Amino acid sequence: MSAGGAEAKEAPKYTKKDFESDQDVRWCPGCGDYAILSAVQKAMPDLGIPKEDIVFVSGIGCSSRFPYYMNTYGFHTIHGRAPAIATGLRLARPDLKVFVVTGDGDGLSIGGNHMLHVLRRNVNVTILLFNNRIYGLTKGQYSPTSELGKVTKSTPVGSADRPVNPLAFALGCGATFVGRTVDRNIPHMEEMLKRAARHRGAAFVEILQNCNVYNDLAWNVMYDKEQKLQYELRLEHGKPLLFGPQDDRRAVIMDGVRPKVVTAKDVPASALWVHDESNVNAAKLLADLFAPDFPVPIGVLAAVAGPVYEEIMLDQEQKAISERGPGDIAKLLTSGDTWRIS
Amino acid sequence: MSEIAAPAKGKSLKELDRAVVRFAGDSGDGMQLTGEQFTTESAWAGNDIATLPNFPAEIRAPAGTLFGVSSFQLQFGSQRVYTPGDRLDCLVAMNPAALKVHLRDLKPGGLLVVNTAAFDKRNLDKAGYAANPLEESTLAERYRLHKVDMTGLTYEAVKDLPLGTKEKDRTKNFFALGLVSWIYTRPLEPTLEWITKKFVKNPSIAEANTRVLKAGHAYGETAEIFAEHYTVEAAEMAPGLYRAMTGNRALAWGILAAAERSKVPVVYGAYPITPASDILHELALHKRFRVRTIQAEDEIAAITAAIGAAFGGAIGVTGSSGPGIALKGEAIGLAVTAELPLVIFDIQRGGPSTGLPTKTEQADLMQAMYGRNSESPVVVLAPATPGDCFYVAYEAVRIATKYMVPVMVLSDGFLANGSEPWLIPDPQTLPPIEIGFRTEKEGFFPYLRDPATLARPWVRPGTPGLEHRIGGIEKQDVTGNISYDPDNHDHMVRTRAEKVRRVAQEIPPTTINGPATGDLLVVGWGGTYGAITAAVERAQTEGRAVASIHLRYLNPLPPDLGHILREYRKVLVPEINSGQLVRVLRAEYLVDAVGFNRVRGLPLASEEILEAITQLVEGHV
Ligand code: SF4
């Protein structure tokens, strides 16, 4: 039961419009969230899930307004807690397809603990983490993914804390699906969303997102045409890690136990690092690669099968019921040591 | 159930109407088990019972120390027993530390049974005794002192069994149990049965415990130092089938009953915390009732998982103690504004902060009522006895789902671990829990309201055509759309409060224990029920015009309460806090209620409440 009984029902033929709610979208003009919303709404019909079986859960932050704009069930909750809300929801309703929408502050700062546990439990939810490296809704403080030395209102002479890497964090938590995509690449986003949504277990997707008001072009390496050409590494299962312009193709290879960038034509095909989504250890190395020393990988870093929390829990329940019958409170009350007074 | 007890040869058998016994020893001495078994024996004897386990917060407190002492007290009687008793008729002290800590509670002339073997130099030092008190005359003058070498007699009984010294030593609590069982003419059968069941895989240990239990019993019968023993007749209790019930188990079973009756699965989210963890342990045993337990990563995840489940159309329940409830505050607010049903158990303990984790207190009333940001009302209920926890948990689910509100249940450490003989109810007699999920598309809005309860519709995701979004941001009434409109906010604040107020429709007329008008009304709530009732009944037999009421509904308060309060000259409110309900009553009803407050981590004693009653009636305060 990957998305649970949801797949049993025949979903009508939807279009993007079917997933647009009647609420006015209230992000700042130019915010990357618009593109993500559009990509999600576009990807939805292809999932083939009746929209009444879909729930979007979010915490607090700009990204967390997301559920209001989806014409599905939605729950906009409290700061950082969406993964825990979603866990309870899945345990109550394994037949629903549950998405968690969060951001770098919501998901990795105040909700970091819940993110750890939803991933390690491998609850069947699709987690979209919009990473803009800033607190937007509270008007521009540095976030747990901001670079060291970040000058913001709360850090006038630069932040003193090192950033967390969301992908490395997710893999460290034992996530069974980890991917990255970019808000300015709608087709890639759609593809990632669909892959993640179809994964059985917790799927974690980092979406590099632009906050044009408080942290414009934080991901310029993925936006600027020239830089993107130089640094974007498209991960594809079974394909070697090659990137860069056609006339200057480069490769990431393993030099001993370290990744290294080399000119592609200088190494034999047998020495290339071929991407394998089932190799979580390799994914952990990929998670740490970033410009300027390395390319920026986008795509699916890891996708492996793992036991799903709520499936185990519900199997235990089914087993108990099939072996001993459903609970009977009258029987329970009179079980064990009792005595009669007449 | 009780047989007519014949006196042992050469010994006189006296009839008592009640007795208070406390077993005290090292944490490792098995005092809790001893007490529980003695309770079961007394239940077999048909007595009414109240118990008070008391143990250190440390899991393995250093042996022989004062803070490592663990005890179990019970009162059993041939009449209604309301409390575990204030002063002891019998104290069993397994070591010097136990004697030192507990002696002051023993009545003058009370029975004092000590294990002499433990009174060596090391243990005396640890307990801070300069000289061995057993060798001084004061103890024997003040109490009926029985010095018994329990350790030696235990070894003697099991000397030929293939067990190590440690294993042999660990059976000595059964010697004490056997001896006290003889003193009070308790049947040994339930303990013998328990031993057989418990040690089915270890016949040597079973044999050792059996022998030692019998040896203790035989010692009482033959040793000359015991000239008399006692019997306590069966109590006149309502006829029916009984079982021993602790508060935590009763809460868990109340939830099971609600799950069965409503046919809706339960998600129970909890993070381990004393003294609430046993609810999680108990519920985890009963998967067949479709109760799904999450041991969450923290208190916040525990409650938010329950809220997520409620959003999904399950009964969401979370349980904790005061420190955990503090962490859950923001999430409770979410359930208030999302208007989702939620049940929250708070098993109160001594605080603030970590406080006294294993001790009882009633100081979370204000937290339950007001301990959240902004206007965030919830329904607050409090059980009065361990068995009452069953009904209150069930009622909490009924109200939460009927009114779409969070309901907080205030139990406490005393109710949680204490047990009483509980008349097993017929579950069919419980009020129905009727949950009607909305499926009708026509005219649907997420915040449409039922005219009687003001509840909004509960919709299970998966229902076609009813897709909607809710959340923590203020929303327009009826449509549920985000709204920052000032008048709408004012309206919603009032509506959420009114919804809780309307729960008053559910409250039955208040039971008054005593005259409907008089000199003094004692108002209590929660676990002090027994102590207050015992004190008030004593005052009544002394001829005073005193009555008591015990509030199960704390928010909203019973509709007839204001009227009742005005029928008495004075109002006394005993609480294990610095005066919380008394403030509420004074604020709500402008009545000059007086508090009686002790915050010692222990249940209130009926004696001290009686004294407060006497003083107030006689006008000393
Ligand atoms: S503050 Fe930044 S992230 Fe938030 S809506 Fe505006 S642009 Fe988007």
Side-chain angles (χ1 to χ4, degrees), chain B residues 254-255 257-264 315 393-402 430-436 458:
Chain B
I255 292 298
E260 182 178 310
R261 191 62 172 271
S262 66
K263 302 187 178 67
V264 172
I315 296 169
Y394 186 91
E395 177 73 348
V397 175
R398 194 182 71 83
I399 290 176
T401 52
K402 182 169 175 182
L430 296 168
I433 298 179
E434 282 151 358
I435 296 175
W458 198 6

Short mmCIF file of all heavy atoms in Angstrom, two decimals, chain B residues 254-255 257-264 315 393-402 430-436 458:
data_model
loop_
_atom_site.label_atom_id
_atom_site.label_comp_id
_atom_site.label_asym_id
_atom_site.label_seq_id
_atom_site.Cartn_x
_atom_site.Cartn_y
_atom_site.Cartn_z
N GLY B 254 -10.46 3.45 29.56
CA GLY B 254 -11.54 4.38 29.17
C GLY B 254 -11.42 4.74 27.70
O GLY B 254 -12.42 4.84 26.97
N ILE B 255 -10.18 4.93 27.25
CA ILE B 255 -9.94 5.23 25.83
C ILE B 255 -10.31 4.02 24.97
O ILE B 255 -10.92 4.15 23.90
CB ILE B 255 -8.45 5.62 25.62
CG1 ILE B 255 -8.16 6.96 26.29
CG2 ILE B 255 -8.10 5.66 24.14
CD1 ILE B 255 -8.94 8.13 25.73
N ALA B 257 -12.53 1.78 25.66
CA ALA B 257 -13.99 1.70 25.63
C ALA B 257 -14.54 2.71 24.63
O ALA B 257 -15.47 2.40 23.87
CB ALA B 257 -14.55 1.96 27.02
N ALA B 258 -13.94 3.90 24.60
CA ALA B 258 -14.41 4.94 23.67
C ALA B 258 -14.14 4.53 22.22
O ALA B 258 -14.95 4.77 21.33
CB ALA B 258 -13.74 6.27 23.99
N ALA B 259 -12.98 3.89 21.99
CA ALA B 259 -12.65 3.45 20.62
C ALA B 259 -13.66 2.40 20.17
O ALA B 259 -14.15 2.45 19.04
CB ALA B 259 -11.24 2.88 20.59
N GLU B 260 -13.97 1.48 21.08
CA GLU B 260 -14.91 0.42 20.70
C GLU B 260 -16.30 1.00 20.43
O GLU B 260 -16.94 0.68 19.44
CB GLU B 260 -14.97 -0.64 21.80
CG GLU B 260 -15.88 -1.79 21.45
CD GLU B 260 -15.91 -2.87 22.51
OE1 GLU B 260 -14.82 -3.31 22.93
OE2 GLU B 260 -17.02 -3.27 22.93
N ARG B 261 -16.73 1.87 21.34
CA ARG B 261 -18.09 2.39 21.23
C ARG B 261 -18.26 3.30 20.01
O ARG B 261 -19.27 3.24 19.32
CB ARG B 261 -18.43 3.16 22.50
CG ARG B 261 -19.88 3.51 22.64
CD ARG B 261 -20.74 2.25 22.70
NE ARG B 261 -22.11 2.56 23.01
CZ ARG B 261 -22.60 2.64 24.25
NH1 ARG B 261 -21.80 2.43 25.28
NH2 ARG B 261 -23.85 2.94 24.45
N SER B 262 -17.26 4.12 19.73
CA SER B 262 -17.39 5.08 18.63
C SER B 262 -17.05 4.46 17.29
O SER B 262 -17.33 5.03 16.25
CB SER B 262 -16.46 6.27 18.88
OG SER B 262 -15.12 5.83 18.82
N LYS B 263 -16.42 3.29 17.33
CA LYS B 263 -15.95 2.61 16.11
C LYS B 263 -14.97 3.47 15.32
O LYS B 263 -14.88 3.40 14.10
CB LYS B 263 -17.12 2.21 15.22
CG LYS B 263 -18.10 1.29 15.92
CD LYS B 263 -19.15 0.78 14.94
CE LYS B 263 -20.10 -0.16 15.61
NZ LYS B 263 -20.94 0.53 16.61
N VAL B 264 -14.24 4.32 16.02
CA VAL B 264 -13.24 5.18 15.38
C VAL B 264 -11.89 4.82 15.98
O VAL B 264 -11.77 4.70 17.19
CB VAL B 264 -13.57 6.67 15.62
CG1 VAL B 264 -12.46 7.57 15.13
CG2 VAL B 264 -14.88 7.03 14.93
N ILE B 315 -9.52 9.43 16.67
CA ILE B 315 -9.56 10.07 17.98
C ILE B 315 -8.10 10.29 18.40
O ILE B 315 -7.36 9.33 18.60
CB ILE B 315 -10.28 9.18 19.00
CG1 ILE B 315 -11.75 9.00 18.59
CG2 ILE B 315 -10.19 9.79 20.40
CD1 ILE B 315 -12.48 7.92 19.37
N ALA B 393 -12.01 9.47 31.25
CA ALA B 393 -11.35 9.34 29.94
C ALA B 393 -12.41 9.16 28.85
O ALA B 393 -12.34 9.76 27.77
CB ALA B 393 -10.38 8.16 29.94
N TYR B 394 -13.38 8.32 29.15
CA TYR B 394 -14.46 8.06 28.18
C TYR B 394 -15.24 9.35 27.91
O TYR B 394 -15.52 9.71 26.77
CB TYR B 394 -15.36 6.97 28.76
CG TYR B 394 -16.44 6.50 27.81
CD1 TYR B 394 -16.22 5.42 26.95
CD2 TYR B 394 -17.69 7.11 27.79
CE1 TYR B 394 -17.21 4.98 26.09
CE2 TYR B 394 -18.68 6.69 26.93
CZ TYR B 394 -18.44 5.61 26.08
OH TYR B 394 -19.42 5.19 25.23
N GLU B 395 -15.57 10.03 29.00
CA GLU B 395 -16.32 11.30 28.88
C GLU B 395 -15.52 12.33 28.09
O GLU B 395 -16.08 13.11 27.31
CB GLU B 395 -16.64 11.82 30.30
CG GLU B 395 -17.35 13.17 30.36
CD GLU B 395 -18.81 13.13 29.95
OE1 GLU B 395 -19.26 12.11 29.41
OE2 GLU B 395 -19.51 14.15 30.18
N ALA B 396 -14.22 12.33 28.27
CA ALA B 396 -13.36 13.29 27.56
C ALA B 396 -13.47 13.06 26.05
O ALA B 396 -13.58 14.01 25.27
CB ALA B 396 -11.92 13.15 28.02
N VAL B 397 -13.46 11.80 25.63
CA VAL B 397 -13.59 11.51 24.19
C VAL B 397 -14.98 11.92 23.71
O VAL B 397 -15.13 12.52 22.63
CB VAL B 397 -13.37 10.01 23.90
CG1 VAL B 397 -13.63 9.70 22.44
CG2 VAL B 397 -11.95 9.59 24.29
N ARG B 398 -15.97 11.64 24.51
CA ARG B 398 -17.35 11.96 24.11
C ARG B 398 -17.51 13.48 23.90
O ARG B 398 -18.04 13.92 22.89
CB ARG B 398 -18.33 11.48 25.20
CG ARG B 398 -19.78 11.45 24.76
CD ARG B 398 -20.68 11.01 25.90
NE ARG B 398 -20.81 12.01 26.94
CZ ARG B 398 -21.64 13.04 26.90
NH1 ARG B 398 -22.43 13.20 25.86
NH2 ARG B 398 -21.68 13.91 27.89
N ILE B 399 -17.01 14.24 24.85
CA ILE B 399 -17.15 15.70 24.75
C ILE B 399 -16.29 16.26 23.61
O ILE B 399 -16.73 17.10 22.83
CB ILE B 399 -16.79 16.37 26.09
CG1 ILE B 399 -17.88 16.05 27.11
CG2 ILE B 399 -16.64 17.87 25.93
CD1 ILE B 399 -17.60 16.57 28.50
N ALA B 400 -15.05 15.78 23.52
CA ALA B 400 -14.14 16.30 22.50
C ALA B 400 -14.73 16.12 21.11
O ALA B 400 -14.67 17.02 20.27
CB ALA B 400 -12.78 15.60 22.60
N THR B 401 -15.32 14.95 20.86
CA THR B 401 -15.82 14.68 19.52
C THR B 401 -17.18 15.33 19.28
O THR B 401 -17.53 15.66 18.16
CB THR B 401 -15.91 13.16 19.25
OG1 THR B 401 -16.64 12.54 20.33
CG2 THR B 401 -14.54 12.54 19.19
N LYS B 402 -17.94 15.53 20.34
CA LYS B 402 -19.26 16.15 20.18
C LYS B 402 -19.12 17.67 19.96
O LYS B 402 -19.87 18.25 19.18
CB LYS B 402 -20.10 15.88 21.42
CG LYS B 402 -21.52 16.43 21.33
CD LYS B 402 -22.39 15.89 22.46
CE LYS B 402 -23.77 16.55 22.43
NZ LYS B 402 -24.62 16.10 23.53
N LEU B 430 -22.61 2.80 29.37
CA LEU B 430 -21.92 4.08 29.11
C LEU B 430 -22.72 4.87 28.07
O LEU B 430 -23.32 4.28 27.17
CB LEU B 430 -20.50 3.82 28.59
CG LEU B 430 -19.55 3.12 29.58
CD1 LEU B 430 -18.28 2.67 28.86
CD2 LEU B 430 -19.20 4.05 30.74
N PRO B 431 -22.71 6.19 28.17
CA PRO B 431 -23.45 6.97 27.16
C PRO B 431 -22.84 6.75 25.78
O PRO B 431 -21.64 6.53 25.65
CB PRO B 431 -23.25 8.42 27.62
CG PRO B 431 -22.06 8.40 28.49
CD PRO B 431 -22.01 7.05 29.13
N PRO B 432 -23.66 6.79 24.74
CA PRO B 432 -23.12 6.56 23.40
C PRO B 432 -22.17 7.67 22.97
O PRO B 432 -22.27 8.80 23.44
CB PRO B 432 -24.36 6.56 22.50
CG PRO B 432 -25.41 7.27 23.29
CD PRO B 432 -25.10 7.07 24.74
N ILE B 433 -21.21 7.31 22.12
CA ILE B 433 -20.36 8.33 21.47
C ILE B 433 -20.73 8.28 20.00
O ILE B 433 -20.39 7.33 19.29
CB ILE B 433 -18.87 8.02 21.68
CG1 ILE B 433 -18.53 8.05 23.17
CG2 ILE B 433 -18.01 9.02 20.92
CD1 ILE B 433 -17.07 7.74 23.49
N GLU B 434 -21.48 9.27 19.59
CA GLU B 434 -21.97 9.26 18.21
C GLU B 434 -21.15 10.22 17.37
O GLU B 434 -21.21 11.42 17.55
CB GLU B 434 -23.45 9.66 18.17
CG GLU B 434 -24.35 8.52 18.60
CD GLU B 434 -25.63 8.99 19.25
OE1 GLU B 434 -25.83 10.21 19.40
OE2 GLU B 434 -26.44 8.12 19.62
N ILE B 435 -20.36 9.66 16.47
CA ILE B 435 -19.53 10.50 15.62
C ILE B 435 -20.09 10.45 14.21
O ILE B 435 -20.15 9.39 13.60
CB ILE B 435 -18.07 10.04 15.67
CG1 ILE B 435 -17.51 10.23 17.09
CG2 ILE B 435 -17.23 10.82 14.65
CD1 ILE B 435 -16.12 9.71 17.30
N GLY B 436 -20.52 11.60 13.74
CA GLY B 436 -21.06 11.65 12.38
C GLY B 436 -20.15 12.51 11.51
O GLY B 436 -20.16 13.72 11.62
N TRP B 458 -16.94 17.67 11.25
CA TRP B 458 -15.70 16.89 11.19
C TRP B 458 -15.73 16.15 9.86
O TRP B 458 -16.67 15.39 9.60
CB TRP B 458 -15.65 15.92 12.37
CG TRP B 458 -14.28 15.36 12.68
CD1 TRP B 458 -13.10 15.71 12.12
CD2 TRP B 458 -13.98 14.36 13.66
NE1 TRP B 458 -12.06 14.99 12.70
CE2 TRP B 458 -12.58 14.16 13.64
CE3 TRP B 458 -14.75 13.62 14.57
CZ2 TRP B 458 -11.94 13.23 14.49
CZ3 TRP B 458 -14.12 12.71 15.40
CH2 TRP B 458 -12.73 12.52 15.36
#
